[in-house]
């Protein structure tokens, strides 16, 4: 055990509570082992006669091939089976080269007998992991990198501003691989707690980094890049240059995350820095029909308040609005788009023989193609995904490639109202709200760092005044429909088919949200207007303006405080608390009403 290795572990949660003498005793009982990238450290089903302490590197814990945890420096590995006396329950593979300390069972037994505090420290770490596991019933978000490599064509116009942005965010330092013993320098910098950008390293150093960001000009012929590059940075000289051809780049590297950067726009480079740092802010927009224009009012206020988002995802109406925002249209322009589609084009008033749907979707499809054009999702300046429900796979379909208008159309295919969307290979897709009306988990799985969910709030106790016997038969319903304007007596309130459908969406969404643990995320509920129906597009502008006023007022209240937070996530959390419907006990009056549609 070297002094450098001992120092790198000394301040970890595992050893911090120990005396220097006891920590030295524990470290002296271990043996050092170097691990290559991709090497299997633990195999499920094997015996557990060794406990590992991660000295350097990153390790993936896999169950059935699915990532369930990521373990970094200073953490124990394999402690579950080691202490229970059972067999290994998961595979552990090095996601980058690293080093571990190995503690054999006989040595552990001697230490635990002589130094009980060592056992207490390791069991405390184990207890913390169990607590976290009990809260996370969902796949964990990716771990933020601490060491990355930039490969490919990295012009100085990208490199220098990027290093400057990373330096402002945190303790990031550049290491150019051509000078001296780069590997030793890299390990020394990691031991000192630095985050490292390895610039244009040789191939043998790529095993020592958490992530590889391969850079190239969007106008260059597509190349695959290093085999372990999971990020593709496609730069162009000017923001006004069209983004095309991304599909060909991604065809060479399926599954890679891509980032579009204009070299003359500092905001693009700052956004890339946040993705590298693991602090990129994701925006998730729930479904909600016409009430979803509340999202646009909220985002107009947040944009005016200087809050920017780095990627966008949404369901149903949230997907439609998020797609337009990912095209870098401002909320006012998106609101105009909504009114053009649903009021001027009247796409919801084009009825047809109800064999496949109630609405003839031809006009809706034409309106979507007119407003979203020929843009493909992968060519958007901001990363975007839409969520649909796959009736083929009985699962969520996350749409992040292909024509933008088709993804919006699939995500908004309200069953029976619109015909289902038929995707490639005959996959049947309907409205994403059926499976996840607030897809914050889909955002988490795509990046480390915080996410903000704008979620339309609905009352938890929905009741109607009518009785089951009040439902009219066919003849009575036709009479009521044609003579309604002549009758003074209003029938007892009964839930419409649309109201039932939208509440069904809401039941699943709220149930999923209750099970979500969201450390670092901000989930903001928005109260729709009182008595506004789900598809009442005539009140969409009113909803937009009401939400804008509420969020503008909340921002002003937060920013007037002498201790107003500067961090965007803390600021958004403060805005949430200052919204009018969160500051009163009775949400049924004044500025904070909602309706159930």
């Amino acid at each position: 055990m070297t002094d450098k290795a001992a120092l790198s572990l000394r301040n970890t949660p595992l050893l911090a509570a120990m005396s220097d003498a006891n920590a030295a005793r524990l470290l002296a009982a271990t043996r050092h082992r170097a691990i290559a990238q991709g090497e299997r450290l633990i195999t499920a089903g094997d015996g557990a006669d060794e406990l590992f302490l991660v000295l350097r590197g990153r390790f993936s814990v896999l169950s059935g091939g699915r990532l369930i945890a990521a373990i970094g420096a200073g953490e124990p590995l394999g402690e579950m089976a080691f202490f229970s006396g059972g067999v290994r329950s998961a595979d552990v593979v090095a996601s980058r080269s690293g080093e571990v300390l190995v503690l054999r069972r006989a040595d552990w037994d001697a230490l635990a007998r002589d130094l009980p505090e060592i056992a207490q420290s390791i069991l405390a770490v184990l207890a913390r992991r169990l607590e976290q596991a009990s809260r996370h019933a969902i796949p964990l978000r990716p771990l933020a990198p601490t060491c990355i490599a930039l490969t490919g064509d990295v012009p100085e116009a990208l490199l220098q501003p990027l290093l400057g942005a990373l330096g402002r965010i945190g303790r990031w330092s550049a290491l150019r691989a051509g000078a001296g013993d780069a590997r030793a320098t890299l390990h020394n910098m990691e031991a000192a707690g630095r985050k490292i950008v390895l610039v244009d390293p040789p191939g043998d150093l790529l095993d020592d980094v958490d992530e590889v960001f391969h850079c190239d000009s969007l106008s260059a012929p597509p190349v695959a890049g290093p085999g372990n590059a999971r990020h593709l940075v496609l730069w162009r000289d000017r923001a006004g240059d069209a983004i095309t051809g991304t599909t060909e780049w991604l065809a060479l590297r399926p599954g890679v995350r891509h980032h579009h950067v204009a070299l003359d726009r500092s905001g693009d480079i700052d956004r890339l820095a946040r993705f590298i740092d693991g602090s990129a802010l994701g925006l998730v927009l729930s479904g909600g029909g016409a009430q979803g224009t509340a999202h646009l009012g909220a985002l107009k206020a947040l944009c005016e308040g200087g809050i920017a988002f780095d990627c966008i995802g949404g369901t149903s109406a949230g997907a439609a609005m998020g797609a337009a925002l990912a095209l870098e249209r401002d909320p006012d322009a998106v609101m105009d788009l909504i009114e053009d589609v649903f009021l001027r084009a009247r796409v919801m008033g084009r009825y047809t023989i109800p064999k496949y749907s109630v609405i003839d979707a031809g006009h809706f499809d034409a309106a979507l193609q007119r407003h979203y054009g020929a843009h493909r999702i992968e060519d958007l300046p901001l990363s975007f995904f839409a969520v649909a429900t796959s009736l083929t796979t009985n699962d969520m379909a996350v749409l992040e490639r292909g024509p933008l208008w088709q993804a919006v159309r699939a995500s908004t295919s309200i069953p029976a109202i619109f015909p289902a969307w038929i995707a490639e290979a005959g996959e049947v897709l309907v409205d994403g709200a059926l499976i996840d009306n607030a897809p914050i988990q889909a955002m988490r799985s795509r990046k480390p760092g915080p996410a903000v969910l704008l979620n339309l709030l609905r009352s938890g106790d929905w009741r109607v005044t009518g009785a089951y016997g009040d439902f009219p038969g066919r003849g009575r319903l036709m009479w009521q429909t044609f003579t309604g304007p002549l009758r003074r007596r209003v029938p007892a309130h009964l839930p419409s088919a649309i109201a039932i459908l939208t509440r069904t969406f809401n039941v699943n969404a709220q149930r999923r949200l209750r099970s979500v643990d969201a450390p670092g995320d901000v989930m903001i509920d928005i109260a729709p207007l009182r008595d506004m129906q789900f598809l009442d597009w005539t009140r969409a502008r009113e909803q937009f303006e009401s939400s804008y006023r509420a969020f503008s007022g909340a921002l002003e209240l937060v920013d007037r405080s002498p201790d107003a937070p500067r961090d965007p996530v803390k600021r958004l959390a403060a805005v949430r608390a200052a919204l009018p419907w969160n500051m009163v006990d009775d949400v049924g009056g004044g500025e904070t009403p909602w309706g159930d549609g």
Side-chain angles (χ1 to χ4, degrees), residues 45-296:
D46 283 355
D49 293 322
E50 294 178 325
L51 173 68
F52 304 97
L53 307 179
V54 180
L55 182 61
R56 184 183 63 81
R58 191 67 57 86
F59 293 83
S60 298
V61 183
L62 307 170
S63 177
R66 182 175 66 89
L67 179 68
I68 59 174
I71 306 298
E75 292 282 333
L77 256 178
E79 73 281 4
M80 297 275 193
F82 185 84
F83 289 119
S84 68
V87 298
R88 305 294 193 187
S89 60
D91 297 318
V92 177
V93 177
S95 53
R96 53 175 284 200
S97 65
E99 301 168 71
V100 298
L101 301 178
V102 185
L103 184 62
R104 296 187 178 94
R105 182 171 298 281
D107 296 323
W108 162 257
D109 290 340
L111 286 169
R113 182 176 59 251
D114 299 337
L115 300 172
E117 71 173 285
I118 291 180
Q120 293 171 2
S121 295
I122 293 182
L123 290 174
V125 173
L126 176 59
R128 187 177 76 247
R129 286 200 189 156
L130 289 173
E131 180 186 9
Q132 292 173 344
S134 67
R135 294 200 310 262
H136 289 275
I138 58 173
L140 299 177
R141 74 174 88 227
L143 202 60
T146 59
C147 180
I148 69 109
L150 294 177
T151 63
D153 184 1
V154 189
E156 289 295 311
L158 171 61
L159 178 61
Q160 295 306 321
L162 180 61
L163 294 178
L166 286 168
R168 292 189 295 272
I169 290 174
R171 300 186 65 195
W172 285 92
S173 302
L175 174 61
R176 295 183 182 270
D181 187 346
R183 177 170 280 109
T185 304
L186 174 65
H187 295 173
N188 287 334
M189 292 173 70
E190 283 195 288
R194 304 294 297 187
K195 298 178 180 179
I196 303 124
V197 178
L198 202 56
V199 180
D200 196 22
D204 63 335
L205 270 183
L206 295 182
D207 289 349
D208 286 72
V209 302
D210 297 323
E211 298 284 359
V212 176
F213 285 73
H214 184 74
C215 307
D216 223 321
S217 168
L218 179 63
S219 61
V223 295
N228 57 345
R230 293 193 295 178
H231 292 266
L232 175 63
V233 179
L234 294 173
W235 56 266
R236 60 197 192 282
D237 291 321
R238 293 171 295 276
D241 295 343
I243 303 176
T244 60
T246 313
T247 306
E248 287 71 28
W249 283 91
L250 298 181
L252 297 174
R253 293 304 306 271
V256 75
R257 297 286 171 205
H258 69 285
H259 311 267
H260 287 293
V261 175
L263 298 183
D264 66 342
R265 187 160 59 180
S266 60
D268 284 15
I269 297 176
D270 290 344
R271 182 173 65 241
L272 176 61
R274 289 190 291 270
F275 272 105
I276 290 174
D277 181 66
S279 56
L281 187 58
L283 173 65
V284 181
L285 302 176
S286 75
Q291 296 168 346
T293 53
H295 297 329
L296 298 177

